[in-house]
Amino acid sequence: MTLTDRLQKTGARKLLACDGGGIRGIISVEILAKIEADLRASSGQPDLVLADYFDYVAGTSTGAIIATLVALGFSTDKIRDFYLKSGAEMFEKAKLWERFRSKFSSDNLSAMLQDVSGKDTTLGSEKLQTLLLIVLRNATTDSPWPLSNNPLAKYNDRSRPDCNLLLPLWQLVRASTAAPTYFPPERVIIGPHDFVFVDGGVTMYNNPAFQLFLMATSEPYRLCWPTGAEKMLIVSVGTGASANAKADLSPDEMHLLYNASTIPSALMAAALYEQDFLCRIFGNCVAGDMLDREVGTVIGQGIPGAPKLFTYARYNAELSATGLAELGLPGINPANVQQMDSVEHIGEMQQVGRAVAEQKVKPAHLAGFPA
């Protein structure tokens, strides 16, 4: 199915959102592999890929890599291979004199993204089989930039000198992965403008699920897909959660360096939670772990009298010692799988993703939305 065919099709719409999280993206890949396998079994199509099922795919940071490969028609086997073969090279240490700016070099990552997507492939390329949303942060304008290949969007008019569809796809993905202190920022020329971009995770959309819903349905984005629990499905896939709790924290420890090192991750975690919570309240949540001890899972709950706008499934892992034990993985050291750059522990992250997939991903969650 071409993108034009997909835009013109009728019936229920299916959306996929992929969180950021560095090399922990392999956890998402293993969860998606189970979804793909279930869809192949239920449809009787042994070669089905996720691009055959989902109409609109979104991703932030490492999720932008996964979403782009899904939209290009890659199978989860090929996406997994990309992470396993390229993971160590993605996180190439920067030269000593460059490390005051970033821990890793962007050269290898840029080269790998060009290789896998095509150096000349643009956001408006016909290679993309689904609508694609990539979240970036424009450091020049100090604003989040959720960019899509929706041909109806205001800044996707090809007559504009700053048309987003003309931008190199690999560079937008690279910009979305430019996590501050990890990778250097990405400079992108857009028409007459010269912008500096950093990781989209440094916005409210490290989990882009609710933003994806808004861009698929609200009037400013001009798609205006119909809503309803039977008319729209949103699947949201995480890269693992790991709260940085510190029971013995004292006020005296909260100096400038402490705040500088902890506030960004705290804000990102809160934003991820909020996107998930919004989806569970406004959607018919059919799968999801407990959010906190007050609201629980929100499954079967919402706003009294308000209709559900979509069906929603959220799959993620709790990377604490307790969470890993509940997944049947008590032998994994939480510290090994909590860091975004622990490439040497990618095998353990795969175990986590497979355990989540086996225990939490059920064909019944997507039963109302056949392939």
Side-chain angles (χ1 to χ4, degrees):
M1 185 180 294
T2 66
L3 183 58
T4 299
D5 293 336
R6 193 173 296 278
L7 288 169
Q8 294 175 349
K9 75 167 222 179
T10 58
R13 294 293 185 174
K14 303 154 193 170
L15 287 61
L16 172 65
C18 301
D19 289 12
I23 199 62
R24 295 197 330 238
I26 193 67
I27 295 175
S28 300
V29 174
E30 296 299 344
I31 295 170
L32 291 173
K34 176 64 162 56
I35 294 174
E36 185 181 75
D38 287 347
L39 290 171
R40 288 177 175 180
S42 64
S43 67
Q45 303 175 51
D47 297 324
L48 178 145
V49 294
L50 295 175
D52 297 324
Y53 183 76
F54 290 103
D55 301 300
Y56 206 157
V57 184
T60 303
S61 194
T62 197
I65 296 176
I66 296 170
T68 297
L69 296 181
V70 167
L72 286 169
F74 281 54
S75 67
T76 54
D77 282 343
K78 290 184 177 179
I79 300 174
R80 180 191 295 113
D81 286 345
F82 176 80
Y83 272 81
L84 295 180
K85 293 176 181 177
S86 307
E89 295 180 44
M90 286 186 202
F91 292 91
E92 177 194 24
K93 292 283 188 183
K95 295 179 177 62
L96 284 175
W97 57 88
E98 295 176 339
R99 292 184 193 175
F100 74 95
R101 191 164 70 113
S102 63
K103 186 175 180 181
F104 302 104
S105 168
S106 64
D107 294 346
N108 280 355
L109 179 57
S110 295
M112 287 183 290
L113 292 173
Q114 290 178 47
D115 182 63
V116 75
S117 67
K119 184 177 181 179
D120 298 323
T121 302
T122 63
L123 181 61
S125 171
E126 293 182 0
K127 290 182 181 180
L128 292 168
Q129 299 174 28
T130 72
L131 285 174
L132 173 64
L133 164 62
I134 299 173
V135 181
L136 311 84
R137 179 178 177 272
N138 190 326
T140 304
T141 62
D142 191 23
S143 59
W145 272 42
L147 300 183
S148 83
N149 61 336
N150 168 17
L152 303 177
K154 177 178 179 179
Y155 288 96
N156 287 350
D157 181 345
R158 290 184 180 273
S159 66
R160 297 181 63 101
D162 57 352
C163 174
N164 290 332
L165 295 181
L166 304 178
L167 298 174
L169 182 60
W170 73 266
Q171 193 174 31
L172 298 179
V173 177
R174 158 72 186 97
S176 183
T177 64
T181 74
Y182 284 89
F183 290 102
E186 183 73 14
R187 177 187 175 196
V188 182
I189 307 297
I190 304 178
H193 308 292
D194 187 345
F195 292 130
V196 175
F197 287 95
V198 296
D199 196 321
V202 195
T203 69
M204 282 293 292
Y205 316 121
N206 193 50
N207 170 355
F210 199 72
Q211 178 66 17
L212 173 61
F213 165 70
L214 293 175
M215 292 182 70
T217 60
S218 62
E219 290 182 337
Y221 296 104
R222 303 176 182 176
L223 274 179
C224 300
W225 284 351
T227 62
E230 296 79 33
K231 296 179 181 179
M232 180 170 286
L233 168 71
I234 300 178
V235 175
S236 176
V237 181
T239 61
S242 56
N244 187 24
K246 192 173 182 181
D248 59 348
L249 178 66
S250 72
D252 291 339
E253 291 179 76
M254 299 186 68
H255 44 66
L256 288 175
L257 289 177
Y258 174 89
N259 287 326
S261 64
T262 60
I263 285 177
S265 61
L267 293 176
M268 288 171 66
L272 185 149
Y273 171 99
E274 186 71 4
Q275 289 275 310
D276 191 10
F277 187 43
L278 286 170
C279 285
R280 297 190 196 205
I281 290 294
F282 289 100
N284 174 34
C285 185
V286 296
D289 296 334
M290 185 174 75
L291 286 172
D292 62 40
R293 286 177 289 183
E294 180 171 14
V295 304
T297 64
V298 197
I299 293 175
Q301 296 181 304
I303 299 173
K308 293 295 187 178
L309 300 177
F310 49 89
T311 293
Y312 177 67
R314 170 70 173 174
Y315 304 112
N316 203 12
E318 172 56 54
L319 302 178
S320 65
T322 300
L324 292 170
E326 290 175 351
L327 288 172
L329 302 170
I332 291 182
N333 182 349
N336 292 348
V337 294
Q338 289 177 352
Q339 302 304 312
M340 294 193 298
D341 58 347
S342 294
V343 178
E344 63 273 24
H345 298 292
I346 195 170
E348 292 169 282
M349 294 178 189
Q350 282 187 276
Q351 292 181 56
V352 173
R354 289 169 180 165
V356 172
E358 183 63 29
Q359 296 181 30
K360 301 178 184 181
V361 177
K362 307 299 181 186
H365 298 160
L366 312 186
F369 300 87

